[in-house]
Amino acid sequence: MNSLVIKNALLCDHRQTIKSDLRIDRGKIIDISPSLKDEHILDASNLIVMPACIDLNIQIKNHSHSNLLSIQDKAQRGGVGTIVLDSLPDQVETLKFFNTQSHITFISSAIPFTLETIQNLSTMHHDGASSISIQSSTPNDALKCIYEYAQFLNLSCLCNLNHSFGGVSAQSPMSFKMGLSQIPPFVEELEFSKFFCLANHFRVPTLIRALSEKNLFLQTKTTPWIQSEISIHHLLLNEEKIAHYDPWAKLTPPLMTKEIQDFFHQELIHINMLTSLHREFSTSSKEQTFEDASSGADCLEFYFSLLFTELVKTNLLSLQELSAKTSYNQAQFLHLNQGEISIGHDANLIIFDPQESFEISHPLYGKKTLFGKIKAILSPKTGLHKVN
């Protein structure tokens, strides 16, 4: 990436918002000061430059070249510059190769336990895996061994609370009246307790993905080794969305009650990370009865604008707080040299217009006007890419 000066922009990260010019050379931020000059200049008057979002909770159909290109396109439009994908050993190699030409940074999180066998985590780490992705259904003896590897390799753990109890809705009077199978809160509490004990014993940074239970969140606040994550959908929607058995509102974890949603709004400042919770599925798999439909939401291509419109413009978060929860905290968790606008950091950035709006028509959100349109994304590998 050749030298580039971004002029007249508002620079915002988790620490501050300032008006200044920004010089980037060979993928690094090398100068932040007024009145910079260069052969290559981008005028960003009335625009904001921020660290690109880092999403640690995206699941895709497969790691094929065509599918990764599709995800790359959606991520650019959604303001996401780095995506972490749960990966088997051969998929770690695939992502390592794809990264050499991608505008988006794809990072592997090693799947450590398959076919009743612990994978060679040292090799996967050497090939580019930056963390370990663990299911709570993993046998206890394997969990202990995996955390020993994580401690030795200095890797963080991304943890999913899964169980065999079934259920498609949160336990509540409404879901009971609807006749839906429910997930009692104690089910996730049982799964959470494993990671709580392991993280504290081995002192391994551990992220609990997509929290939706009040008691579990409160427990994450009692230890520095557990980080909390919540999806944008669980902040903006609640179980009323499924009152008419809308399969497009079927998510994992299920949408919460209004009471729990309000609790997370009040605690939003203390939540460490946000996620798009992007999932891939066919339209036909959603056009089923609620119980049989696929679970998930495909909103990656307007993720940042949804965050900006619904959290920043409504004053639930400041823009600096949003930057912390979508980029800085993730970068710190994974030991990445990005997530803030400072000299020496990777130029993994987005440029957006806070005033420009656009319309979406989406099965989950309906017709909606969003602000904060992404105008360009900067990659430390491939440079500036304008977004249509």
Side-chain angles (χ1 to χ4, degrees), residues 54-57 83-88 92 107-112 120-134 146 149-150 153-159 204-207 209 330 332-336:
I54 303 171
D55 202 322
L56 309 187
N57 198 349
I83 290 174
V84 173
L85 295 177
D86 299 351
S87 304
L88 294 167
V92 173
I107 299 178
S108 296
S109 182
I111 297 174
N120 190 327
L121 294 174
S122 295
T123 299
M124 295 176 77
H125 176 46
H126 180 267
D127 289 338
S130 66
S131 59
I132 302 175
S133 180
I134 314 174
I146 291 165
Y149 268 108
L153 297 170
N154 192 29
L155 293 176
S156 301
C157 292
L158 310 178
C159 299
V204 170
T206 297
L207 175 69
R209 283 169 155 172
Q330 288 87 338
Q332 293 295 299
F333 185 76
L334 294 179
H335 313 294
L336 303 177

Side-chain angles (χ1 to χ4, degrees), residues 293-313:
S294 294
S295 178
D298 181 349
C299 301
L300 182 60
E301 59 189 325
F302 54 86
Y303 175 50
F304 176 81
S305 299
L306 189 63
L307 292 167
F308 180 75
T309 303
E310 299 294 341
L311 299 184
V312 177
K313 289 184 71 66

Side-chain angles (χ1 to χ4, degrees), residues 1-5 22-31 38 40 337 344-348 378-384:
M1 176 180 175
N2 295 326
S3 178
L4 171 70
V5 166
L22 182 70
R23 187 189 304 278
I24 299 165
D25 189 27
R26 299 179 184 178
K28 301 284 186 185
I29 299 169
I30 64 168
D31 197 0
D38 196 273
H40 303 286
N337 186 36
H345 277 68
D346 291 344
N348 201 331
L378 283 108
S379 164
K381 298 175 295 179
T382 58
L384 178 70

Side-chain angles (χ1 to χ4, degrees), residues 337-351:
N337 186 36
Q338 54 179 281
E340 64 179 69
I341 302 177
S342 60
I343 293 172
H345 277 68
D346 291 344
N348 201 331
L349 307 170
I350 55 173
I351 303 174

